[in-house]
Amino acid sequence: MVRRVAVIGAGAGGLASVKCCLDEGLEPTCFESSGDIGGVWRYTDSTDERRVSVYRSVITNTSKEMSCFSDFPFPEDFPSYLSHSLVLEYFRMYARHFGLLRHVRFQTTVVSVRKRPDFTSSGQWEVVTETDGVRESHVFDAVMVCTGHYQEPYLPLASFPGIESRFKGQQLHSQEYRDVQAFRGKRVLVVGIGNTGGDLSVELSRVAAKVFLSTRSHTWVISRVSHHGFPFDMVSTTRFNHLLEGLLPSALARRIRFRKFNSWFNHTNYGLASSKSSKFKMIINEELPFCLLSGTVVLKPSVKEFTESSAVFEDGTEENIDVVLFATGYNFSFPFLEESIRSTIDDNRSLYKCIFPPQLEKPTLAIIGLIQLTGSIMVGSEMQARWVTGVFAGWNKLPPPSRMMAEVLKRKPPVKRNPSERENLKMSFISYMNEIAVCAGVKPSVLRLLLTDPQLALAIFFGPCSPYQFRLVGQGRWRGARAAILSQWQRTLKPLRTRVVGDNSSSSSSWCWMCLLALPAALTAAFLCSKYPQPGWSPWAHPQL
């Protein structure tokens, strides 16, 4: 019987895990190696290699309504997209509201997590921690690892001949980047066009003499601002869109999506992406197209080699470079886990539902947040924690290890991937949330709601798939979920009402008419969802190269 739970890390996943443990009547102890909560969202000027944090100017890629914990909305006066300071403030509010801090032991590093000798019967773990140089041993009934996947900078220097032996300029990983001051007047090469690479290229272009952005992948750039000025994820991440993408042939769905992206600007003209490519990725960036158009950022192909003062690219061009900034992502690691477990976790596909090591005799170890979703990882981590604590509490059951292992082997590729190829972590937000919600017994039924609460059903099906939907039913049901869903558009607009202008149009009445006209389609679609569930296709889930 699980009672005492060790939670490792006090970032978003750790805080949600502590809260979920308390909801289930468990006794959590959270170990945090630093002196505060927040994980990567706690910005510091320090570039301590032992800790990863966001850079000073970072803004969230997902909106507040799609990023909050499912029973604790962001304050309505917070903007839709948030700075790191507002995210951290929200974490503090969450921790205070649910009384989480008294369960956190700060400045305490987890040294090792090992199975007890009687693990096959007890499922217990011996956890060794260190505080101020003093080690202490604890026994826990279960362990939740909440250290995420932003842990060790990935620097593929071997792929860049001359970077170490010939290049005389400065080289650094984006983990060391804080602001633009050190790059003023310099010629900077940013390697990698993920969200970080795009952000830093734009920011550096304001002070650098020249910025070059090197990529080998097809990349679609989208804006946080969508139709009528609403957040992109609230408009696009809906159950209706998810169903359509699942029903349409993948080639047709991809063609439609590409045409929509090209309606903003032609990505082929900018050298970013071709609609003929089946391998691509997507990044969020409103300013990058203008920087390319104005020449303050120059897009380049892959680097072939480095000389003493320049980079030679695959197309034969050569540019003088002062600084190389690698935006090449991170590796994850769990050095505190015993080798027999650590060696089996190549990526999240080694885990049952991306959470449980399937080979354990007792399911008392869970990895929280080792995922990359097309939506908020914070929301996904909370859903994982809800299911995991339900398993620990005994009201949720897992299949036998043999069945879990069979499912893992089905998903796991035969060849180990390069750490920079993060497609093994990419998953459709709605697909994964639905999958874990079904396991936890908290997935809402659109069909049932159409019969009992049509207004709510239509908001759930056609509106944003916001976290509140998963608090309508089942364990952990929240009374405020319905009101939060029906008022999410108003909360989105609230911080913009600093100057009100007259408008005769009524968006709310138009939305109601749309819902009424769409009722027959919703009934049919909900029936199809329940009878023939589709995994859906999402370009967000395609490989990053």
Side-chain angles (χ1 to χ4, degrees), residues 54-67:
V54 294
Y55 39 95
R56 187 193 300 274
S57 62
V58 75
I59 297 292
T60 58
N61 288 330
T62 51
S63 64
K64 66 176 183 180
E65 294 299 319
M66 302 294 284
S67 304

Side-chain angles (χ1 to χ4, degrees), residues 56 113 281:
R56 187 193 300 274
V113 175
K281 61 182 175 183

Side-chain angles (χ1 to χ4, degrees), residues 293-349:
L293 196 61
S294 63
T296 55
V297 174
V298 177
L299 202 63
K300 303 294 287 186
S302 298
V303 176
K304 182 180 180 181
E305 63 175 339
F306 285 92
T307 68
E308 285 190 358
S309 59
S310 67
V312 180
F313 298 93
E314 292 290 353
D315 60 359
T317 58
E318 184 173 354
E319 301 287 352
N320 290 329
I321 300 296
D322 298 313
V323 182
V324 180
L325 178 57
F326 288 95
T328 45
Y330 294 84
N331 288 326
F332 66 86
S333 66
F334 307 109
F336 44 81
L337 290 180
E338 64 178 61
E339 175 61 24
S340 62
I341 300 171
R342 187 172 68 244
S343 61
T344 64
I345 307 177
D346 296 327
D347 52 55
N348 62 20
R349 290 172 299 186

Side-chain angles (χ1 to χ4, degrees), residues 142 248 256 264 369:
L248 291 174
I256 293 171
W264 183 25

